């Protein structure tokens, strides 16, 4: 039995406490259960039942255990197999729900139960696996760590190069220029040359190459070898054999005396060069995040008393008045309090033209003020700004794992042990066929060195990192990294109509009073009722009214159909023909000519009697038709799903070139429509309203228009910063390019090993005489990682 404490959400009364306790008691093995309402904490002793069963029971009862999220910086990872070991060590902790490592970013993201697991427990688990960890934000920034890593690798490479070059020249110079060999033998002597090589190679291994042994050998002893272990064993084998040949030649069979100091020294040098180039390239992959972070200024002019004074951005609080000079960057989110100007928002939205801003207009942190001077009111600061949210979103997406990565993880966990086994098998096979021990050793070392799980581990995360960063630059934000793979596989793109394909700024074109009602009076009551609605049609009705409007005494939005309100004691019902029929209201007027012209028709009833027939017209967005055509050219089917009438929806779909129309559907009807479309393949749905949230969640990929509602944005995996539908086209194209890039990387990484490990083992030697030098193997291994990273970097120009 173990004592467990859980922090619980949703407790509000004694009844909640009883229900939460009952849920835990119902789990086999749980006893001494106590739930405290004041601390919102459950304590229990847990026996045979797993902690997962308790948390599932609480969630089902409506009182989920509180989940914490934390990000840790991991140091010491050198290849893809390290990723699996760190994840396995952390996931083994009771209370850890999820642990994902991004090899490219060097970060671990953990979801865990509060009070069951602590940050210290996670750090200890990582250290037990052989790696260093610290919570993100506790030490230097990611950019500073990356810069320090690059400086360290550059310094190590230069030192190794200076030490290894004489060794290489002494041993290999004679092969390149035979007279040089005779000069060395005559003036230095073979034994002195070998001793000199021994000293310099020892300096390479002890100095710049030390990390391979301090990290690789302990992991090897733990039975969890990584790339460092391969390099350590391979270079130590060459070094030890050479040292014996130099100082104890009698230990070796006659005629096998040879040294391979140059192999050990050059292998370390080349791998350090590869890691240096890889680190530089990985730094460039994260530039998109760095650029976003740098958008917000660090100093700002804040009103203090009667005047403005310069202050640090961290000192700004909500409600402060700030001054923006021409050309200055907007420091926080807020609104214009005084002045007029044009603001360039292209760095966040991708839109090239600056937008005119005047009093009351919104300002976003990181955008650039034009020629005018502005005073702004700070409304969101620090982590609450749109820019900070975007940075978090991109970082989380970059850390995500695509489904395709699961196969890679399984392979890389076993890759290094298998390679070490193949190396031993190679050594024994060569000796069994009568080869000299030196020849067998060269083949075995080449197998160890040529293998490269690094390239496998980098293939997916590097492409995700660069691709999501490029998307952010183009105004397309992937809230979840796995949306890239799913979006690349979609076969159907479904659109909402109002605000997605259309401008979302409808105008009231027709208003016909019916029965005994007067037009002005009905419009006044309808506009008063519509004041509480966020729907574009409601805004059009309000905009068409004149004079002061009364305040509604009650208001209810009827999802996907309309609204009901009480105004001046009268019941006002506004909505679709279906809503009127459901409420027993007899319709009036002729809506067919209006719908045939593509107008959206709705009705108003007062005190249960039909009072008006209304029609609004909303223009198609300028790039909607071109976007739909481009999607067709990519082989995608397009569908419009809307609550509007069939006639009006088909008219607008015809203008846009949409293939299929599903009209007159409620929000749950959109959900059903998505599920029916999914029978023929993955579906992406693009929407912007509250009533689109269920469809956005149900689609394989939900794409929210950034100008839409918060509910829609929270339900989507991809957010388009502007209302332009062509951004959806950008998202699909980018997703396809990223997945193509990942497949290229994975092919290279796996094909490289499949092709070169047999060559290194000498499999083709009897037929072709090919036998790979360990130095060439080291160069090829280093270049394979650099190739994968460089290929991913091509996405920066996508």
């Amino acid at each position: 039995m173990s004592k467990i404490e859980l922090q619980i959400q949703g407790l509000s009364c004694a009844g909640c406490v009883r229900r939460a306790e009952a849920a835990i008691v119902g789990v086999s093995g749980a006893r001494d259960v106590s739930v405290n309402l004041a601390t919102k904490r459950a304590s229990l002793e847990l026996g045979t039942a797993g902690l997962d069963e308790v948390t599932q029971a609480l969630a089902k009862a409506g009182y989920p255990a509180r989940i914490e999220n934390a990000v840790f910086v991991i140091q010491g990872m050198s290849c893809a197999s390290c990723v699996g070991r760190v994840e396995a060590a952390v996931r083994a902790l009771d209370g850890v729900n999820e642990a994902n490592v991004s090899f490219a970013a060097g970060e671990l993201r953990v979801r865990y139960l509060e009070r069951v697991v602590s940050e210290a427990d996670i750090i200890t688990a990582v250290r037990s696996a052989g790696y260093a960890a610290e919570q993100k934000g506790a030490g230097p920034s990611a950019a500073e760590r990356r810069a320090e890593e690059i400086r360290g690798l550059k310094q190590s490479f230069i030192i190794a190069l200076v030490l290894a070059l004489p060794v290489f020249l002494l041993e290999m110079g004679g092969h390149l220029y035979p007279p040089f060999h005779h000069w060395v033998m005559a003036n230095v002597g073979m034994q002195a040359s070998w001793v000199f090589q021994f000293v310099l190679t020892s300096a390479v291994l002890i100095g710049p190459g030390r990390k391979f042994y301090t990290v690789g050998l302990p992991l090897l002893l733990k039975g969890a070898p990584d790339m460092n272990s391969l390099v350590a064993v391979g270079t130590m084998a060459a070094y030890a054999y050479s040292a014996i040949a130099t100082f104890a030649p009698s230990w070796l069979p006659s005629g096998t005396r040879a040294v391979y100091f140059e192999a050990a020294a050059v292998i370390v040098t080349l791998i350090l060069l590869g890691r240096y180039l890889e680190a530089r390239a990985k730094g460039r992959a994260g530039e998109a995040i760095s650029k976003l972070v740098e958008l917000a200024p660090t100093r700002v002019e804040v009103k203090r008393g009667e005047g403005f004074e310069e202050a640090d951005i961290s000192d700004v609080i909500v409600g402060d008045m700030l001054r923006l000079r021409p050309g200055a960057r907007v420091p926080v989110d807020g609104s214009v309090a005084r002045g007029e100007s044009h603001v360039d928002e292209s760095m966040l939205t991708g839109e090239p033209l600056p937008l005119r801003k005047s009093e009351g207009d919104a300002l976003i942190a990181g955008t650039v003020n034009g020629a005018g001077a502005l005073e702004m009111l700070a409304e969101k600061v620090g982590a609450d700004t749109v820019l900070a949210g975007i940075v978090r979103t991109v970082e989380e997406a970059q850390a995500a794992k695509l489904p395709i990565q699961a196969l890679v993880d399984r392979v890389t966990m076993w890759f290094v042990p298998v390679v070490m086994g193949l190396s031993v098998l190679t050594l024994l096979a060569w000796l069994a066929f009568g080869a000299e021990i030196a020849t067998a050793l060269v083949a075995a070392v080449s197998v160890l060195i040529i293998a490269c799980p690094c390239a496998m581990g980098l293939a997916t995360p590097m492409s995700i990192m660069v691709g999501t960063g490029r998307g952010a630059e183009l105004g397309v934000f992937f809230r979840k990294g796995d949306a890239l793979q799913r979006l690349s596989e979609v076969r159907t793109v479904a659109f909402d109509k109002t605000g997605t394909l259309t401008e979302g700024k409808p105008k009231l074109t027709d208003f016909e009073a019916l029965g005994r009602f007067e037009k002005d009076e009905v419009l006044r009551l309808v506009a008063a009722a519509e004041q509480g609605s966020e729907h574009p049609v409601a805004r059009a009705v309000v905009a068409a009214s004149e004079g002061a409007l009364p305040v509604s005494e009650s208001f209810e939005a009827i999802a996907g159909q309309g609204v009901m309100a009480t105004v001046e004691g009268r019941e006002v019902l506004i909505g679709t023909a279906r809503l009127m029929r459901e409420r027993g209201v007899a319709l009036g007027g002729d809506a067919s000519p209006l719908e045939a012209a593509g107008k959206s028709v709705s009705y108003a009833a007062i005190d249960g009697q039909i009072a008006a027939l209304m029609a609004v017209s909303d223009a198609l967005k300028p790039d909607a038709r071109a976007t739909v055509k481009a999607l067709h050219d990519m082989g995608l089917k397009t569908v419009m799903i809307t609550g509007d009438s069939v006639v009006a929806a088909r008219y607008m779909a015809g203008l846009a070139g949409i293939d299929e129309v599903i009209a007159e559907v409620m929000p749950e009807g959109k959900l059903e429509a998505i599920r029916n479309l999914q029978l023929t393949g993955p579906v992406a749905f693009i929407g912007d309203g509250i009533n689109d949230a269920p469809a956005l969640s149900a689609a394989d990929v939900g794409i929210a228009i950034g100008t839409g509602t918060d509910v829609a944005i929270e339900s989507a995996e991809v957010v388009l910063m502007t209302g332009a539908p062509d951004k959806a086209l950008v998202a699909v194209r980018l997703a396809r390019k990223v997945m193509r890039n990942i497949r290229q990387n994975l092919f290279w990484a796996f094909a490289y090993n499949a092709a070169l490990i047999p060559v290194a083992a000498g499999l083709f030697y009897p037929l072709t005489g090919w036998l790979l030098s360990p130095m060439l193997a080291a160069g090829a291994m280093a270049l394979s990682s650099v190739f994968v990273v460089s290929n991913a970097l091509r996405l920066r120009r996508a």
Side-chain angles (χ1 to χ4, degrees):
M1 303 293 290
S2 57
K3 188 75 173 177
I4 299 291
E5 284 194 347
L6 292 171
Q7 203 72 32
I8 299 180
Q9 304 176 76
L11 296 176
S12 59
C13 65
C16 299
V17 170
R18 288 194 299 272
R19 285 188 287 273
E21 286 180 344
I24 300 173
V25 169
V27 175
S28 175
R31 69 186 193 195
D32 290 342
V33 178
S34 174
V35 176
N36 188 306
L37 179 60
T39 61
K40 292 182 170 49
R41 193 178 300 164
S43 61
L44 64 145
E45 286 191 0
L46 197 60
T48 55
L51 189 59
D52 285 347
E53 293 180 55
V54 173
T55 56
Q56 287 169 12
L58 282 169
K60 189 175 180 180
Y63 308 103
R66 187 177 294 279
I67 302 292
E68 289 289 328
N69 294 276
V71 183
F72 299 84
V73 178
I74 309 299
Q75 296 176 334
M77 293 192 300
S78 59
C79 65
S81 56
C82 302
V83 170
R85 292 191 186 94
V86 173
E87 289 178 344
V90 176
R91 287 172 183 164
L93 295 172
D94 282 338
V96 169
N97 291 38
E98 188 178 332
N100 288 310
V101 172
S102 169
F103 181 41
E107 291 181 354
L108 161 69
R109 291 176 180 268
V110 187
R111 286 170 51 81
Y112 59 94
L113 292 172
E114 187 180 335
R115 299 195 66 81
V116 178
V117 180
S118 68
E119 288 88 349
D121 295 332
I122 295 168
I123 290 172
T124 300
V126 173
R127 287 175 178 167
S128 70
Y131 306 90
E134 66 178 23
Q135 195 160 3
K136 189 173 182 180
S141 68
E144 290 170 338
R145 288 194 307 272
R146 183 74 70 194
E148 182 60 33
E149 179 191 11
I150 292 171
R151 281 194 298 270
L153 285 169
K154 182 179 181 181
Q155 184 181 45
S156 296
F157 164 66
I158 291 172
I159 294 171
L161 180 64
V162 170
L163 294 171
L165 192 57
V167 178
F168 178 81
L169 291 175
L170 281 171
E171 189 60 30
M172 304 301 292
H175 295 283
L176 302 174
Y177 183 61
F180 179 74
H181 173 72
H182 301 302
W183 182 88
V184 170
M185 291 299 101
N187 294 278
V188 180
M190 184 177 71
Q191 185 66 18
S193 171
W194 286 4
V195 171
F196 184 57
Q197 291 179 48
F198 168 79
V199 172
L200 292 178
T201 302
S202 299
V204 171
L205 303 189
I206 295 170
R210 182 176 64 254
K211 184 179 179 181
F212 296 119
Y213 310 99
T214 58
V215 174
L217 294 179
L219 288 174
L220 180 62
L221 295 175
K222 288 181 180 180
D226 70 344
M227 188 63 217
N228 292 300
S229 305
L230 294 181
V231 176
V233 172
T235 53
M236 283 182 65
Y239 175 78
Y241 182 89
S242 303
I244 292 170
T246 302
F247 299 108
S250 60
W251 294 6
L252 299 175
S254 177
T256 62
R257 190 185 184 198
V259 295
Y260 298 97
F261 289 122
E262 84 289 349
V266 173
I267 285 170
V268 168
T269 304
L270 287 174
I271 293 175
L272 286 172
L273 172 61
R275 290 192 177 177
Y276 166 63
L277 295 175
E278 180 186 312
R280 283 187 59 188
K282 284 161 73 175
R284 289 198 295 273
E287 280 181 0
I289 288 287
S290 301
K291 288 178 182 176
L292 285 172
V293 172
E294 291 167 2
L295 287 178
T298 56
R299 304 290 291 176
V300 63
E301 290 186 77
V302 187
K303 192 169 187 178
R304 296 286 185 255
E306 296 300 316
F308 288 87
E309 60 182 55
E310 193 173 275
D312 192 89
I313 186 68
S314 60
D315 295 330
V316 177
I317 61 174
V318 173
D320 275 344
M321 190 66 68
L322 312 177
R323 181 164 65 187
L324 298 179
R325 296 181 183 274
R329 285 196 181 274
V330 178
V332 297
D333 290 358
S335 58
V336 177
R338 184 177 302 163
E340 288 188 3
S341 185
H342 282 78
V343 175
D344 180 1
E345 298 183 346
S346 60
M347 64 289 298
L348 292 180
T349 65
E351 293 299 306
L353 296 178
L355 299 177
R356 183 178 177 275
K357 300 286 183 177
S358 57
E359 189 172 333
D361 288 338
L363 294 171
I364 304 173
T367 56
V368 180
N369 184 28
L374 295 175
E375 289 183 19
M376 69 171 290
L377 179 68
E379 296 172 352
K380 291 183 180 180
V381 301
D384 295 328
T385 64
V386 170
L387 180 61
I390 288 170
V391 171
R392 283 195 302 273
T393 297
V394 177
E395 285 181 335
E396 288 168 6
Q398 290 181 343
K401 288 199 171 184
L402 272 60
I404 197 172
Q405 183 69 22
L407 170 65
V408 180
D409 288 346
R410 287 196 295 272
V411 171
T412 53
M413 275 297 290
W414 292 99
F415 185 81
V416 174
V418 167
V419 167
M420 298 191 82
L422 288 174
S423 177
V424 172
L425 188 63
T426 298
L427 178 69
L428 296 176
W430 275 91
L431 293 176
F433 282 104
E436 295 180 352
I437 189 171
T439 305
L441 182 66
V442 167
V445 170
S446 294
V447 170
L448 286 175
I449 301 302
I450 197 70
C452 186
C454 306
M456 296 180 195
L458 288 168
T460 299
M462 284 303 302
S463 298
I464 295 173
M465 180 179 283
V466 182
T468 52
R470 179 57 177 155
E473 293 174 350
L474 296 171
V476 175
F477 296 97
F478 291 88
R479 299 182 68 236
K480 298 177 183 177
D482 56 357
L484 280 163
Q485 182 168 344
R486 286 184 278 120
L487 186 56
S488 72
E489 297 167 350
V490 299
R491 292 293 172 264
T492 303
V493 178
F495 295 88
D496 171 48
K497 182 175 79 71
T498 304
T500 302
L501 285 172
T502 64
E503 292 283 3
K505 299 175 182 177
K507 295 180 180 179
L508 185 66
T509 58
D510 300 87
F511 192 96
E512 179 186 351
L514 301 174
R516 57 184 175 80
F517 293 96
E518 294 291 331
K519 178 179 178 181
D520 291 344
E521 177 64 8
V522 175
L523 181 57
R524 190 177 72 88
L525 293 174
V526 168
E530 293 279 35
Q531 285 182 109
S533 174
E534 54 80 38
H535 199 279
V537 172
R539 293 199 293 268
V541 173
V542 174
S545 63
E546 297 178 357
L549 297 174
V551 177
S552 59
E553 293 136 38
S554 67
F555 176 85
E556 178 191 352
I558 304 168
Q561 294 197 80
V563 300
M564 185 169 64
T566 302
V567 182
E568 296 180 339
R570 307 182 75 177
E571 186 181 279
V572 181
L573 181 67
I574 308 161
T576 62
R578 174 190 291 181
L579 177 62
M580 295 298 156
R581 284 191 289 266
E582 287 178 357
R583 298 301 172 97
V585 178
L587 298 179
D590 184 7
S592 54
L594 302 173
E595 290 177 338
K599 297 179 181 181
S600 297
V601 174
S602 56
Y603 296 85
I606 298 175
D607 295 329
Q609 299 296 314
I610 193 71
L613 168 66
M614 302 176 289
V616 296
S617 178
D618 192 7
L620 197 69
K621 287 182 177 177
D623 52 0
R625 185 171 182 83
T627 298
V628 170
K629 183 180 183 304
L631 290 171
H632 289 159
D633 292 342
M634 295 169 68
L636 298 175
K637 176 184 176 182
T638 57
V639 179
M640 177 191 289
I641 306 177
T642 178
D644 212 343
S645 70
V646 173
V647 176
R650 284 178 177 168
Y651 176 84
M652 197 60 69
L655 293 179
I658 298 283
D659 297 322
E660 182 181 340
V661 174
I662 303 172
E664 296 183 2
V665 291
M666 303 275 286
E668 56 269 25
K670 289 188 176 184
L671 189 65
E672 185 180 349
I674 292 293
R675 288 174 177 162
N676 289 335
L677 290 171
Q678 286 172 327
L679 296 175
T680 58
V683 176
F685 179 74
I686 308 170
D688 71 329
I690 290 174
N691 60 338
D692 294 325
L696 287 166
S697 298
D700 296 277
V701 182
I703 303 176
I705 301 292
T707 53
T709 63
D710 291 343
V711 174
I713 291 171
E714 286 301 315
S715 303
E717 289 94 351
V718 183
V719 178
L720 313 179
M721 279 302 289
T722 69
D726 66 340
K727 290 295 182 185
L729 186 62
V730 171
V732 175
R733 283 176 172 163
L734 184 60
R736 290 188 173 188
K737 285 178 181 289
V738 169
M739 291 309 301
R740 189 183 308 123
N741 192 269
I742 287 173
R743 285 190 286 269
Q744 291 168 352
N745 285 347
L746 288 174
F747 172 81
W748 169 260
F750 283 102
Y752 160 87
N753 284 287
L756 292 188
I757 287 179
V759 175
L763 199 63
F764 300 106
Y765 182 77
L767 299 174
T768 64
W770 293 349
L771 194 60
L772 197 63
S773 160
M775 289 185 293
L776 292 177
M781 189 276 283
L783 286 174
S784 68
S785 294
V786 175
F787 174 87
V788 165
V789 176
S790 300
N791 188 48
L793 286 174
R794 293 191 306 115
L795 291 169
R796 293 165 68 195
R797 299 187 298 274

